[in-house]
Amino acid sequence: MNKIKLSILILILGLGIVFTSCDKNFDELNTNKTAINSLDPVPMLNHAIWKSSPAFYRHTMVYEMAIVQQIISPFGTSLAGGNYNQENFDLAQNTWRNIYPNILKNTMDVIVKNKDNADRSNIFNMARIISALGGMVLTDTYGDVPFSEAGLGFINGKYTPVYDTQEAIYRSILNDLDAATTALNSTARIETGDILYAGDINKWKRFGNSLILRAAMRLSKVNPVLAKEYVKKAVAAGVMTSNDDNAIVRHSANFPNDVGANLNGSEAANFFMAKPLVDFLKSSNDPRLAVLAVRFVGATSGSTQTDANVTRIPSNQIGIPVGYDNNSISARAVADGVGSFYGYTQFDRKTIGKQDSPFFLVTFTQTQFLLAEAVQRGWIDGDASVYYAKGIRGHMEQLAIHDINLNISANNIDIFLQAHPLETAKALEQINTQYWVACIMDGQEAFANFRRSGYPALAQNMYPQRAIADGFIRRMTYDRSEFTNNLTNINNAITRQGPDKLDTRVWWDVK
Amino acid sequence: MNKLLRKYGTQPIFYQFFRKMKLTILIVTVSILSCLSAETYSQTTKLTITENNSTLLNVLRAIESQSEFKFFYNEKVDVNKQVSVEVNQKSITEILDKVLSSTSIKYKVLGRQIALYDKNEMEPFISEQQGRKVTGKVTDSSGASLPGVSVVVKGTSTGVITDNSGNFTLTNIPENGKTITFSFIGMKPVTTDINGRDQINVVLETEIMGVDEVVVTALGIKKETKKIGYAAAIVKAEEMTVNRTTNFMQSLQGKVAGVNITSMATGAGGSTNINVRGQSSFSGSNQPLIVVDGIPISNSKDYGGTQGPNNSDAGDGLLSINPDIIESMTVLKGGAAAALYGSRAKDGVIMITTKNHKQNKGVEVTFNSNATFDRAIDDTNFQYEYGQGEKGVRPTKPFPDSGVWSFGEKIQPGMTQMLFNGEVVPYVAQKNHIKDFYNGGFTFTNTLSVASQGDKGGFNLSLAQLKNDGIMPHSGFDRYNASFGFTQDITSKLKVSGNLNYSREIHTNPPQIASQDMTSTKSIYTMSNTMPLSLMEKYQRDVNGNEIIWSRFKNRTNPYISANDAFNNIDKDRFYGNITARYNFTDLIYAQVRVGQDYYARHQDLNFPSKMAGQAPAPQGFVNGSVTQDQRRFREINSDFLIGAEKEFNNKIGINLTFGGNTMYQYSDQNSTLGQDFIVPWLYAINNARLKTPIYNYSERQVNSLYGTADFSYSNYLFINGTLRNDWFSTLSPATRSVIYPSVSGSFVFSQAFENMPAWLNFGKLRAGYSEVGSDTDIAPFSQTLTYGLNSNLFNGQPVGTINTGTIPNSGLRPMRVKEYEFGFNMKVFNRINLDLTYYHKLSIDQILNAAVSNASGYSSQLINVGESENKGLEMLLDLSAIKSHSFSWNIIFNGAYNTSKVLKLGLDDKAVSIGGTIRQVVGQPLGQIYTSGYLRDDQGRKIFNATNGLPLTTSQDIRMGCALPKWFGGVTNILRYKGISMSALVDFKLGNQIVSSAEFDFMRHGKSKATLIGREDGFVIGDGVKPDGTPNTTKVDLQTYYEATARINENNVYNAGFWKLRQLTIGYDLIRIKKVAELLKLQECNLNAVANNVLTIKRWTNNTDPEQVYQVDGTQDIALPLVRSYGFNLKIKF
């Protein structure tokens, strides 16, 4: 029995020793020594800026560019969208699933952490501008969306953020942009690591003010008083003055433009320049057609789209008509004289559609057109035709920033401008149709301005399987997972705004 | 009279059986005394027997039924021999003389016991010498005396048989006689040292066939099955070593009750999914813990996980194990069994014990060789009436892009088509794409083992090699194993044992699965039905090396490029083993220390070939494509100690206490570099790449544990076991990291508790258990804090970074907890039927859900303790000896499990009713509900079609299509033995689950499925249903448009995934029976088996695929490799 007693003693001693050290060093063990536990706000803002370039090609190509009839694919299934006026939930939610986690999550982190840091006031205000841009794209795309409580999942546990009305979002954006732009301070620390302007405060200010102008003009129909107030503010504070001020996400081989990557990859042969765009450029002898468009004469499949049969001559360009699928287009292609639909005109995938094509968030050109319209509406002083001409010239010059091969000579620009002056009687149509051209490759802005202004005067897509009541698609449907994860709030939004359909109009989109 | 004898006396068949099986000592010696008293009985008893054309056995039975005589004989005595006897009032000797006159059998009457023996054997020896003397009495556990017990001095020929009162007197014990063995049929033999005693009383306990099996339970503690209060399945080594699979677990599919094994259709080196008692949590691992020789080893799946394109399955931890080293395997199914493993045991434990010595003294050499051939099974049932093309037109112009469409013209003799390479070929059906593309596979396994056992220890050394050529061209798997197990008594009290295992695994191009690019099945299965494979092989790339486009789906890689140009080489060295030292302070108290490690280093190279059609070109001056170099290391160290003590009081109450502790430390890391775009074409090297993306990850966790068990037994029929374990988790915050789990279980052997149980009841037991276990496996290390990540590359010279998680960290997480109770019942009757039933109820609470949150929060999910679900079910095992005779036997073993589950709670608040997409967890429904788009139907169930375009309308929300998890699964094994020939056939089944197949979606939209034949003649379809206004649908829709649209309604692609299969067929012959060969080669064992695996699908409900043709078990099917049928040979020789 002595041995038993001894064993019990050993056991108890052992127990005691082990108990005291049962979680020794666990806190240290559970700390990742290679992880970054806090990060400077500049790389985070850079991430948000980079992702402000539409990161999901299929969404922007399949829906936005197709709705405004710039790019059309005749194919269905995963490429069905604006071309068929059809629901394609997977793609419709792409903007949602890009902006919240990639942009607002990061900007909110920067904003919250640097709010009271006087030294980093500039990065704080820059983040507010990028945040506003993201919020604007979101609400323009879907209507009422979570914004005031968005991106705060970690910071304050907002897992089911409320949906703000679009009106509230716009008021908030305008207010925030105004405050942020004003607060940018060239005497505070300059954030030279920023990938947009390398910390140039004056450019940031002009970018912010141009964004105010864009946001304000969006309200031209629904609340002209508020629109005018902020247009004047923006102009007074100073908007973009040249293409040097453009807000550009400079894609590279390492950070490719997704639209470009796919126009050169698996979908290279499947997207075509739409007939309304080709016809418009062609009818006005627009020099941009010659640099943007290519056609593979006689191509019958992707394999036969080769350098050998390429033509860039504007008069040879034939845009793909809207409202056909890959079966019904066959007969039309024969009638159009292109043989197979693979012979319709495409955006040049080696220049404008290249993989490292830059994306323009806000441009001098767009700003000029908005100013022209503001003058036309009598909200600001100035000469609308001057702004209009500056806008067109700006865009023609801007193309060379895309790719040097898109250079249009000053002479050709002059010839075009002389031939196409602004006509007072149809100024709004001219201005906004040129805005449409200036938004080539920026589907989301082209789509928004088309809805607001009603220009260009496009014919309805009458594809037989259309899933919309009439007219055009006017918004994207919400992220489907919201019906599971944020049901009460999304239902409130739908009750307010109308059914979650493609043809429901957002607040500022009044008839 | 003694209880046992009385019992057997009325049921001679069992008595006879027991003797035959258990009587090993025939040569007995009898004391003169007992002989004398017996002489009278044998002379005075007169019997009348009439048995014409009967067997000797029947005669013996007749004698036994009329008298107190009992016969003993061994297998040399053929009791089935035909005899005839007709005697009236004759003595036993007269009868036996007559009956046995025509046989070689002789007899000896020893009192009331009569020994039968072959005349070629030595005659039973009757000792008449006097010498040292020991007397005593033998009783059974109830105290009744046992006559007829053989009492033999071990190592000598001295022995007696107990008399009617159970008394014996051993005289004439030689000098070297130190131990006495007591044996009696139906009782467990007892061996005891004489130790100078001259009086030895012994109690023999009833031994029931199979009842006293010993199982290895948690922590490696061995227990008799009757003592455990929970279900444990024992798997015999032959189940895995005869009819083999590369991953040995796959060969157990359908064999173990309640263990749902699914083999992945991902190649021979692929992984296996194991579920015990359903899926206990919504997410994370639901796989049982694998314990080898008491030490857990990693069984994580090696699927993908690198940078770059990789959707291949490089197996799991079990793939490393060579089944030849397995001594035994136990599956601890429930929490009560596994509770001692604490947090990792919520899904049960698979306990593997490997060999570390020979069973008896000496040296033996075993050689096992196995060769199997694999053929791809073509499960498709495509249409071959209409060939390649679209809109009813076959390709006639160069470079058609319809390579995956079979909506062409009706195939007529003499037609031609112009294909992707511009070549004109006959327009004829190509029905053998699968057969022609996939190779015949071959697997060759050899194991050589040397084992020894001496007085103080033994060892087992095994060397094995496995070589597999896969059915996918240029793919294969090689494995080399070296295992060394030993056991050694250092002193009489200190014993050291250990197992050291090394494996080297080489995967060559494990096939890509479930992606578009480089996935052979995707291309082969969707390729148009008139595309000649020879063209695909001939025209892979053009003169510039660019892939020739054969379909407008450019990612549908030419399958020959997938096979020839893509490489993926994985090379893994693994070392695992343990060393145990056990010190027995006394017979009753021991202490044990054990250290084990599982370590592997893994290297992988893989590429994405250059110039593929689906990939964007590289920047000027570079060639596209990528290469990945990946290194991973894994280490898990388990150190534990165990102190145990047992004590028995009054031969009635037994107590067994153990106390132990464990430290589990796990570390893994990964270096991976992705290189994209090359300077020198076709050189897949990192240093040749334009863009290099290195990553480094590591993970570290530790769990410290203390545990104890207490076993109580009462009078050998009542057993209670309790366990308590406390875990401390490094992955949790200080407030939640200490968790205690209890379990209690009991077993009541009613067949031994009461007197007067019916004789046919051999064994009966009731058991019950309750346990709580938990799991932190869903909580990744370091997941309590928010961290940031930087992009590997600078954006135009500037860093880019972001919060690198979509999951909101939660520092308040607790381990999930599984509360389980089970009731079981085991009965053995008539010595032919063994029935085991278990009911369990498993409640999983506090499940750590990666609960989806609104994406607008910036995150997609948050880890929270909210989920609740339950599983309940029934496991049954029925082992039936249908026929059991000397030369022929037929055994039927049925095992089955029924499991049903229910989701009880989800989400952040009570409002959340479902999570997931296609596969959902829905409150109130079983786990794993399939939700898909469906046809919109009216009140009468008619499909509604769009009024203008005639296409079917879909439901606005996805609808429930059934459950992804099987309700029923199990198998039936029939084993037939005739002399040396054995045959076994396993039929297994899974029933009650559905699958949604994206393969069928492709087959329909590409015009390959037979369903698309409807309307071909006309070129249009009018959907069968109504318009929204209720009038009949009359709108004609272009055929191809119709099927492309309907294919997208996934309701079409949901199938019953159940099956019945003839899984295994084994026919073997015991070559040792060819005596000349056996003697010449001095063989101890020699078995040759013909084996076949996946022999036949008896029933399935899918159209063009096998329901098991999957790479994951979540209820979705993105087509994996075709299944294979294997057949071959297994030869085992033991010297």
Side-chain angles (χ1 to χ4, degrees), chain A residues 3-4 7 10-11 15 18-19 21-24 26-27 29-39 42-47 50 75 77-78 88-89 96-97 100-102 105-106 109 113 146 149-155 158-161 192-195 249-255 261 264-270 300-304 325-328 330 341-342 355 464-466 479-486 488, chain B residues 390-391 397-401 493 549 552-555 585-586 589 613-619 641 643 659 665 677 690-691 696 698 700-706 726 728-732 734 737 780-791 793-796 798-803 805-806 808-809 852-860 862 908 911-912 914-916 946 948-949 951 956-957 1001 1005 1038 1040-1041 1044 1048:
Chain A
K3 279 188 177 169
I4 296 175
S7 300
I10 292 169
L11 196 147
L15 197 77
V18 181
F19 260 115
S21 59
C22 271
D23 59 351
K24 203 181 161 193
F26 273 15
D27 290 326
L29 193 78
N30 202 34
T31 304
N32 187 336
K33 283 95 181 169
T34 61
I36 299 161
N37 292 306
S38 82
L39 186 60
V42 173
M44 297 192 65
L45 184 64
N46 283 345
H47 182 90
W50 164 42
F75 289 109
T77 54
S78 61
N88 190 340
F89 295 132
W96 188 285
R97 293 194 171 187
Y100 285 114
N102 284 317
K105 180 165 72 172
N106 271 17
D109 191 85
K113 287 189 179 151
E149 295 184 354
L152 297 170
F154 178 73
I155 294 165
K158 296 277 184 199
Y159 310 129
T160 52
T192 55
D194 118 61
I195 58 171
V249 177
R250 295 175 194 278
H251 289 288
S252 61
N254 293 2
F255 294 83
N264 286 280
S266 57
E267 305 299 341
N270 298 338
T300 56
S301 64
S303 315
T304 44
D325 61 30
N326 58 323
N327 290 321
S328 57
S330 303
F341 66 80
Y342 287 105
Q355 288 179 76
Q465 295 179 29
R466 45 199 286 120
D479 181 341
R480 295 291 96 186
S481 69
E482 286 292 289
F483 289 98
T484 312
N485 304 326
N486 201 4
T488 310
Chain B
E390 295 195 73
K391 296 213 72 179
K397 288 178 198 150
F399 306 109
D401 59 4
K493 297 196 165 180
I549 299 166
R552 69 166 171 272
F553 290 165
K554 292 181 182 176
N555 309 60
F585 292 100
T586 70
I589 301 171
Q615 300 297 302
F641 73 91
I643 298 164
F659 173 78
Y665 173 78
D677 301 340
R690 177 188 67 80
L691 177 64
Y696 175 75
Y698 88 101
E700 190 176 24
R701 70 160 83 213
Q702 188 169 333
V703 181
N704 291 339
S705 315
L706 286 175
N726 194 343
W728 288 262
F729 301 98
S730 73
T731 51
L732 301 176
R737 72 169 53 128
F782 323 135
S783 63
Q784 312 265 325
T785 50
L786 190 75
T787 56
Y788 299 82
L790 282 170
N791 198 294
N793 293 286
L794 297 177
F795 190 106
N796 298 329
Q798 296 300 335
V800 177
T802 183
I803 293 167
T805 173
I808 303 169
V853 298
S854 168
N855 288 310
S857 70
Y859 299 80
S860 55
Q862 192 206 12
L908 289 159
K911 280 175 246 160
S914 78
I915 55 167
N946 183 307
T948 51
N949 64 30
L951 290 172
S956 56
Q957 301 275 318
F1001 157 67
R1005 71 167 171 150
D1038 165 68
Q1040 188 172 348
T1041 308
E1044 283 182 355
R1048 289 190 79 76

Side-chain angles (χ1 to χ4, degrees), chain B residues 445-508:
Chain B
T445 317
N446 290 298
T447 306
L448 182 68
S449 303
V450 182
S452 88
Q453 175 68 45
D455 288 336
K456 302 246 165 148
F459 73 92
N460 184 87
L461 174 67
S462 285
L463 301 171
Q465 182 214 21
L466 179 149
K467 179 162 179 49
N468 163 266
D469 290 330
I471 57 166
M472 174 78 186
H474 300 147
S475 80
F477 172 65
D478 292 78
R479 185 179 68 204
Y480 304 90
N481 290 93
S483 302
F484 180 71
F486 69 93
T487 170
Q488 181 70 37
D489 295 335
I490 307 286
T491 70
S492 64
K493 297 196 165 180
L494 180 64
K495 182 178 186 173
V496 177
S497 60
N499 297 82
L500 310 169
N501 303 286
Y502 167 75
S503 73
R504 177 167 158 80
E505 293 153 66
I506 301 162
H507 294 265
T508 307

Side-chain angles (χ1 to χ4, degrees), chain B residues 904-916:
Chain B
L904 302 172
K905 195 176 158 195
L906 288 169
L908 289 159
D909 51 42
D910 294 336
K911 280 175 246 160
V913 290
S914 78
I915 55 167

